[in-house]
Amino acid sequence: MPEIKKLLIANRGEIAMRVLRTATEMELPSATVFTEHDADMPHAQHDEAIQISDYLSFDEVLNAAKLSGANAIHPGYGFLAENPEFARSVEKAALIFVGPTAEAMDAVGDKSRARALAKSLDIPVADGVGPFSDPKEIAEAVRSLGAPVMLKASAGGGGKGMKRLFDFDDLDEIIASSQRETKAAFGDDRMIVERYINPARHIEVQVFGDGERCIALGERECSLQRRHQKILEESPSTAVDDDLRARLFDAARRICEAVGYRNAGTVEFLLSPQGEFYFLEVNARLQVEHPVTEMCTGMDLVALQLQIAQGGELPDQEELYSAGHAIEVRLNAEDPWNDYLPSAGKLLMLAWPQGELVRVDCGIGKSVGTQYDSLIAKVIAWAETRDEAIETMRGALEETHVLGLYTNQPLAHKILGEEWFRAGETFIDTIENWDIGARPVPEAFAPAAAAVFAGPTPAPPGVWAELGDWRLK
Amino acid sequence: MAPEAIVNPDGSMWVQTGAGFQELMYARDGLNVWISAGAKVAKFSLAEGASEDAGKEAVAPMTGKVVSIPVSVGDNVSEGDTLAVLEAMKMEYRLEAEADGEVSAINAEVGDLVDLGHVLVRLK
């Protein structure tokens, strides 16, 4: 396989910056793309940033590669990352696609095919049918499977188009909305209909393949979700012991090896309270929550992706280790106390926590718009034990200041302090069934706001002397 | 005597509470002030006063694109019926009727980009 001489990063925001960090560390020349909405974002400030009209446009992304002289494309996650036609176009243009082959994506990226494959390998799967494009067929499938069911995009994840149905009221309208979201996110409106297993945890295994052999780097528990999007992930899972871990790793590796999987992928499972697991899907890309695995394994997964894409060697399973406990909180521009509605606006202040065991993956500009998704940053904390990791993360969130729009920061902080969270009682419907109460507003806030409205305080020198070092680091 | 609050120009401030001075961060944008401390955040606005028509309007809760308005002027709707569907950040949001009523006005078309606070559908 040829060497990567220059990398085009075909994504935006935090993941574009994440890939760029590794490329820079590897002294690999790189270019980025951006759209007019993202002109003030950090990825658009790269030395070589090429404006395009749409992150989903094959032609414009391929053209940007040509223009910049890049011979490889890293798709990040979302957008073109799991589109086999795009992977084919990249290869046809004699460029390296940093990800699985189009054939492997065809085989596992499509949920219905992946499910059939798992079944053929005697790996348990949840009942399901599809894919269907025709809304009538989808409605029929929903009715024949019976409530509760899940509607899912066949072509991708991220909660786009996903709906859980406990009854069939407004079914046609829900299907139409689901297909619109799916089409907008993946350019493909095929849906699958699946039996909903409840209560369940969401457990996933990070895998890497070299086209023949696959390794499993660790599991992540991502049960805490809202609107079917993960908000907090951790590794290891409190529900996975060594025996279950070995079986999950084995299932994940077998599915990927069966399709000659190459590069990074994630195999997702549902885990019942009794410890039975069901294969859900393969995410044929690097995932949002990959830092959790990086913190525990000490590996740079983007570097490994780039290495594999150049025909480099895959580590042996026996060489891998995982230590301590890592937690990731996704900071989303949304208001949990207003039905999680997106919160767009100007960013008036942004201050991140410091500390060796805390990592912040961020890539936002001066404002957050509504054109793209609501993830603005990820805060990741590591410690030797889960309890310590929880404390480290709480401290990190207390040092975080995002002003100018609402985020889920206070909610994440609240979750970390809950008894059920500390006890590891985390299921996919936990957040939905949990009363988050009123927005927590400390007593000092209202007088503080009144003082701000009154204007800055003139500084009598005596006061500064009394207070000493008052500035935030 | 120490003042009750010290507002520094760099976005930090101190407020005197029962337990002594507490440090907070703030940001002001016109009529809005954001306060943050200890992973808690709140917004305070000088502009007050909810619309008298609250409950009789479907108001855009965020900037977004109108993807569907399944009602027409003159339609009778019941509480919980969908009046409009907005898309923002790649997710769709349904605006439901908060009360029974008759659709008296529609102020947007499918495909429009509307701002926060825009009244999409009015009931009487």
Side-chain angles (χ1 to χ4, degrees):
Chain A
M1 245 179 258
E3 188 190 338
I4 298 178
K5 297 204 164 61
K6 187 168 181 179
L7 181 68
L8 182 78
I9 301 167
N11 213 297
R12 64 185 296 278
E14 69 88 14
I15 193 62
M17 299 310 289
R18 164 70 193 90
V19 175
L20 180 58
R21 174 166 68 77
T22 291
T24 306
E25 281 169 12
M26 293 170 76
E27 295 179 7
L28 177 63
S30 60
T32 56
V33 291
F34 70 99
T35 65
E36 58 168 332
H37 308 294
D38 283 348
D40 77 345
M41 299 265 290
H43 69 277
Q45 316 311 319
H46 185 44
D47 304 342
E48 234 186 302
I50 296 161
Q51 187 169 351
I52 58 175
S53 71
D54 186 351
Y55 295 104
L56 281 170
S57 164
F58 287 20
D59 287 348
E60 289 188 61
V61 171
L62 289 171
N63 201 38
K66 204 178 296 172
L67 221 72
S68 63
N71 70 334
I73 297 181
H74 193 303
Y77 53 68
F79 296 120
L80 299 170
E82 291 177 273
N83 187 323
E85 289 314 314
F86 179 68
R88 260 181 214 110
S89 307
V90 172
E91 274 172 26
K92 212 175 284 169
L95 303 172
I96 299 169
F97 181 76
V98 182
T101 59
E103 293 70 34
M105 272 192 229
D106 280 334
V108 297
D110 190 286
K111 288 175 194 170
S112 28
R113 274 195 225 179
R115 181 197 311 275
L117 170 68
K119 257 188 194 161
S120 75
L121 296 170
D122 288 326
I123 293 163
V125 299
D127 293 338
V129 286
F132 308 110
S133 259
D134 181 354
K136 284 196 194 97
E137 278 187 275
I138 298 170
E140 217 167 277
V142 165
R143 291 209 163 84
S144 70
L145 212 54
V149 289
M150 293 284 282
L151 263 182
K152 288 181 175 180
S154 188
K160 307 292 189 296
M162 195 180 286
K163 311 273 174 189
R164 193 173 49 201
L165 305 175
F166 290 102
D167 55 53
F168 302 146
D169 295 350
D170 302 327
L171 183 59
D172 293 343
E173 194 190 303
I174 290 166
I175 290 171
S177 166
S178 190
Q179 286 195 287
R180 278 194 303 262
E181 277 186 14
T182 303
K183 179 91 185 168
F186 312 110
D188 175 337
D189 67 359
R190 290 171 309 138
M191 309 296 300
I192 59 169
V193 183
E194 192 177 271
R195 182 171 308 289
Y196 173 55
I197 294 168
N198 184 50
R201 291 173 192 264
H202 177 111
I203 307 284
E204 58 185 33
V205 177
Q206 175 70 56
V207 295
F208 258 89
D210 64 4
E212 288 174 21
R213 185 168 61 86
C214 283
I215 55 174
L217 280 72
E219 89 278 6
R220 296 183 286 256
E221 172 159 355
C222 321
S223 300
L224 296 184
Q225 309 184 358
R226 61 95 189 86
R227 290 184 187 274
H228 312 296
Q229 290 185 323
K230 302 161 187 169
I231 53 174
L232 188 151
E233 299 100 340
E234 60 181 314
S235 182
S237 164
T238 58
V240 176
D241 60 16
D242 287 346
D243 170 63
L244 178 56
R245 183 170 296 117
R247 287 185 291 130
L248 285 166
F249 281 16
D250 176 66
R253 277 192 303 248
R254 280 198 292 134
I255 288 171
C256 292
E257 283 177 357
V259 299
Y261 198 86
R262 187 188 75 190
N263 220 296
T266 294
V267 185
E268 298 192 332
F269 299 93
L270 289 178
L271 180 67
S272 78
Q274 293 74 38
E276 292 144 347
F277 65 82
Y278 303 90
F279 168 75
L280 265 185
E281 63 187 70
V282 178
N283 289 323
R285 55 174 153 87
L286 187 71
Q287 278 192 293
V288 175
E289 58 272 25
H290 75 276
V292 162
T293 302
E294 293 185 320
M295 295 289 265
C296 290
T297 59
M299 295 170 84
D300 177 336
L301 299 193
V302 174
L304 188 54
Q305 282 194 295
L306 294 169
Q307 188 182 316
I308 299 290
Q310 300 176 77
E313 209 166 309
L314 188 70
D316 285 328
Q317 184 73 51
E318 292 71 35
E319 286 173 30
L320 305 176
Y321 72 96
S322 189
H325 199 97
I327 299 177
E328 173 181 280
V329 163
R330 297 190 190 193
L331 285 183
N332 294 313
E334 67 189 15
D335 184 4
W337 285 277
N338 187 12
D339 202 20
Y340 296 96
L341 281 175
S343 181
K346 255 190 285 181
L347 277 165
L348 305 172
M349 177 188 288
L350 201 53
W352 297 119
Q354 310 289 319
E356 228 173 279
L357 303 179
V358 175
R359 163 175 165 185
V360 178
D361 280 17
C362 173
I364 44 172
K366 299 183 191 86
S367 62
V368 175
T370 52
Q371 290 84 10
Y372 301 111
D373 80 31
S374 60
L375 180 69
I376 58 174
K378 308 180 301 204
V379 181
I380 310 104
W382 182 92
E384 280 185 29
T385 66
R386 183 171 188 266
D387 287 347
E388 289 167 333
I390 292 172
E391 283 321 305
T392 306
M393 179 56 89
R394 275 171 66 87
L397 290 177
E398 285 161 16
E399 286 176 41
T400 300
H401 300 279
V402 181
L403 298 184
L405 42 82
Y406 284 113
T407 75
N408 58 337
Q409 175 196 0
L411 183 71
H413 187 262
K414 192 174 161 71
I415 289 170
L416 293 162
E418 293 288 318
E419 267 315 304
W420 54 260
F421 181 76
R422 286 170 186 265
E425 295 295 320
T426 46
F427 296 92
I428 290 170
D429 61 355
T430 298
I431 297 290
E432 210 159 297
N433 297 333
W434 173 46
D435 178 7
I436 65 172
R439 188 190 310 280
V441 180
E443 228 176 281
F445 276 27
V452 175
F453 281 125
T457 313
V463 174
W464 301 143
E466 261 172 56
L467 291 171
D469 181 22
W470 51 271
R471 266 167 225 276
L472 265 203
K473 278 151 253 150
Chain B
M1 220 181 80
E4 284 170 4
I6 299 164
V7 181
N8 303 309
D10 70 345
S12 68
M13 66 183 299
W14 292 88
V15 171
Q16 194 173 29
T17 64
F21 271 99
Q22 188 189 344
E23 186 177 28
L24 306 103
M25 303 301 279
Y26 76 90
R28 180 171 181 175
D29 186 17
L31 296 176
N32 299 317
V33 165
W34 295 81
I35 304 287
S36 157
K40 296 173 181 69
V41 181
K43 179 172 121 179
F44 296 84
S45 295
L46 279 185
E48 287 292 329
S51 162
E52 284 172 19
D53 290 334
K56 287 285 187 187
E57 295 172 335
V59 180
M62 72 251 174
T63 302
K65 197 171 93 184
V66 180
V67 292
S68 158
I69 299 184
V71 292
S72 311
V73 172
D75 284 1
N76 283 308
V77 296
S78 312
E79 186 187 333
D81 284 358
T82 303
L83 298 179
V85 182
L86 273 187
E87 187 243 79
M89 299 187 189
K90 303 284 170 207
M91 301 288 277
E92 290 193 355
Y93 300 87
R94 293 202 305 168
L95 305 184
E96 294 177 354
E98 288 178 18
D100 296 353
E102 184 190 324
V103 176
S104 61
I106 292 176
N107 302 320
E109 283 178 36
V110 171
D112 284 358
L113 259 182
V114 294
D115 285 328
L116 170 88
H118 185 93
V119 178
L120 294 157
V121 177
R122 208 182 285 276
L123 303 181
K124 64 176 180 193

